[in-house]
Amino acid sequence: MSTHTIRRAKPTDIPELVTIGLEAATAAHWPESEYERIFETGSVPRVALVADSGGQVAGFIVARCIEKEWELENVVVRQEFRRRGLGRLLIQHLLQLARADCAARIFLEVRESNESARKLYSQLGFRETGHRSGYYSHPVEDAVTYEIVIRM
Ligand SMILES: CC(C)(COP(=O)(O)OP(=O)(O)OC[C@H]1O[C@@H](n2cnc3c(N)ncnc32)[C@H](O)[C@@H]1OP(=O)(O)O)[C@@H](O)C(=O)NCCC(=O)NCCS
């Protein structure tokens, strides 16, 4: 099995990020312009990491950092790389960065039926904080909200 490294996303990754996001039905489907904003000065600060497998992007994670409140906006692993621990590794790296940046908490929303992601979040210490009725469209579905407290 090839080795994976977690690194910061670069503007040249954008085409792969768009493709990987669109391939996953339950991921946030951002257009190229939204990924471009990650690298623009003056935009909302974001952290974007990719799991690099021999030069190929196997997965990525994006979080928005509004002062001490971070929001995990998207985490996706390419189908052929799933169940190898990459989703866990990406979130663990994000948690490390949040701790180093003295973030207070990370929150997120996920489709209620997305059991794999919900299991992963719970495993890593996120706790369920509520439901948002009909939050998602195409198809309409409730969101479950989670958070992990980094520091009180
Ligand atoms: C959610 C997602 C990122 C997980 O990535 P992954 O690399 O496959 O996850 P990991 O291999 O790190 O799995 C970690 C844990 O998550 C849970 N998990 C992951 N996939 C699972 C599945 N298909 N069924 C059940 N549990 C699953 C398990 O608890 C797993 O631990 P284990 O392998 O020790 O049992 C991936 O399934 C994905 O890209 N899904 C589509 C996009 C998405 O829905 N993103 C989240 C919402 S924005």
Side-chain angles (χ1 to χ4, degrees):
M1 193 174 104
S2 55
T3 51
H4 307 286
T5 50
I6 306 294
R7 61 163 174 82
R8 295 268 182 175
K10 303 177 287 199
T12 49
D13 295 321
I14 291 175
E16 276 184 287
L17 303 185
V18 175
T19 305
I20 294 168
L22 290 175
E23 275 169 3
T26 49
H29 293 164
W30 284 3
E32 203 169 304
S33 56
E34 195 65 41
Y35 290 104
E36 281 166 357
R37 234 168 263 155
I38 296 171
F39 306 101
E40 282 170 9
T41 45
S43 293
V44 174
R46 284 192 163 108
V47 168
L49 304 172
V50 305
D52 188 309
S53 177
Q56 188 189 5
V57 178
F60 70 90
I61 191 166
V62 181
R64 177 158 66 164
C65 318
I66 315 273
E67 302 201 345
K68 301 296 170 203
E69 300 279 301
W70 287 31
E71 179 182 6
L72 198 173
E73 296 181 293
N74 212 359
V75 53
V76 193
V77 172
R78 254 193 172 123
Q79 190 74 49
E80 62 268 37
F81 289 98
R82 288 191 192 158
R83 286 321 278 274
R84 298 188 197 177
L86 286 184
R88 183 186 294 123
L89 205 59
L90 284 163
I91 298 176
Q92 283 171 335
H93 270 71
L94 183 75
L95 287 168
Q96 272 176 21
L97 292 176
R99 281 190 203 103
D101 201 50
C102 301
R105 68 182 187 118
I106 303 177
F107 64 96
L108 62 89
E109 299 101 23
V110 59
R111 282 183 181 270
E112 190 173 34
S113 64
N114 193 345
E115 285 172 22
S116 36
R118 292 181 62 184
K119 214 166 151 193
L120 172 58
Y121 300 140
S122 299
Q123 256 186 18
L124 288 172
F126 285 80
R127 74 176 180 93
E128 222 178 290
T129 50
H131 268 72
R132 292 200 183 143
S133 187
Y135 181 82
Y136 291 104
S137 49
H138 311 294
V140 173
E141 187 176 347
D142 289 359
V144 183
T145 56
Y146 284 81
E147 73 163 19
I148 186 165
V149 174
I150 307 286
R151 61 163 57 205
M152 305 297 274

